[in-house]
Amino acid sequence: MAANPLRTCLVLLLALVTGSAAAQDARPIASGTPMPGPLLDLASPEGDGWYLRTSKNGDLTFAREGRQRDASEVATVQTFGIDPEADDAAFRKAVESELGIGRGPAPRFETLESAMVTVLIDGVPCLRSLDLIRDNAAQVGRGKIRVMLIDVHGTYCRHPVKRSLGLAFVYSVRSEKREEDATTAKALAFFDTLRLHKTAPAPGE
């Protein structure tokens, strides 16, 4: 069976949030840096200390150290393929199914809270999720293992022009003590920078 891109995205997120924020192939990026593109526009997350890593297919990963000891923050922009004929209900079912599979293997990762609602992004129906995950074997450097919490906020959209393209925007914080209000505010600020292009990109873009 072929690997599912959305599932791969979510597994990768868990790997990133439990690893080092400043990866060797990442570069520093300033708070709120505009990042226009052929299919969407967004800005880098607010605050200092962010690093950006760009994959070969153009997916973006922002990461930085958190405020608490061994804490980290990760924001990602990933693409995944979907059935262009799927209606909104089928799209939600596919996302919910893959979210349930992709969080990570038990008993290391335990989902403590999970919710999903429909929201509008520039008039486009999208799904917004909130998950609280407990990592029972978080690696925090020098071979040390700790129990940590991972707050994961996600927004999942079908592109309004390219119907076969799904977009996953995820903001997560790993920390020992949950800072729910602060994390929610930072995630929503990042999501609010998203602008989905409603016209087809020019040839060659």
Side-chain angles (χ1 to χ4, degrees):
M1 180 180 295
N4 184 284
L6 178 54
R7 186 184 313 173
T8 301
C9 158
L10 296 168
V11 172
L12 174 63
L13 173 65
L14 288 177
L16 289 168
V17 80
T18 57
S20 173
Q24 291 183 351
D25 57 347
R27 61 178 177 85
I29 187 167
S31 170
T33 299
M35 305 191 71
L39 296 174
L40 60 92
D41 300 333
L42 74 154
S44 62
E46 297 179 356
D48 298 327
W50 285 102
Y51 288 79
L52 170 64
R53 182 168 60 188
T54 305
S55 70
K56 292 181 180 180
N57 66 352
D59 291 344
L60 306 175
T61 301
F62 306 91
R64 71 173 178 177
E65 300 295 334
R67 296 190 303 173
Q68 299 179 30
R69 181 172 63 115
D70 299 323
S72 57
E73 300 182 36
V74 174
T76 63
V77 180
Q78 305 274 345
T79 59
F80 59 96
I82 55 176
D83 181 357
E85 302 300 324
D87 59 15
D88 291 341
F91 177 68
R92 175 172 183 141
K93 184 177 180 180
V95 171
E96 288 178 330
S97 174
E98 292 306 327
L99 281 173
I101 295 172
R103 293 190 183 105
R108 176 174 174 179
F109 297 107
E110 296 181 59
T111 301
L112 305 179
E113 298 178 15
S114 182
M116 180 176 287
V117 297
T118 300
V119 297
L120 291 178
I121 304 288
D122 277 352
V124 177
C126 299
L127 300 174
R128 183 158 290 168
S129 66
L130 169 60
D131 296 274
L132 179 63
I133 300 169
R134 180 163 55 212
D135 185 349
N136 292 306
Q139 299 179 8
V140 295
R142 296 185 180 181
K144 295 182 179 179
I145 301 295
R146 297 177 60 191
V147 175
M148 304 285 278
L149 296 175
I150 306 175
D151 244 323
V152 184
H153 292 254
T155 296
Y156 307 91
C157 305
R158 183 208 308 268
H159 195 274
V161 174
K162 209 169 180 181
R163 300 283 292 176
S164 62
L165 182 68
L167 303 166
F169 309 97
V170 182
Y171 192 104
S172 66
V173 175
R174 183 190 74 164
S175 58
E176 184 177 22
K177 296 181 180 180
R178 189 183 192 189
E179 299 179 341
E180 184 175 3
D181 292 342
T183 299
T184 299
K186 289 184 285 189
L188 292 179
F190 176 59
F191 297 152
D192 284 346
T193 70
L194 302 176
R195 297 294 181 268
L196 302 177
H197 294 185
K198 297 180 182 179
T199 57
E205 289 189 329

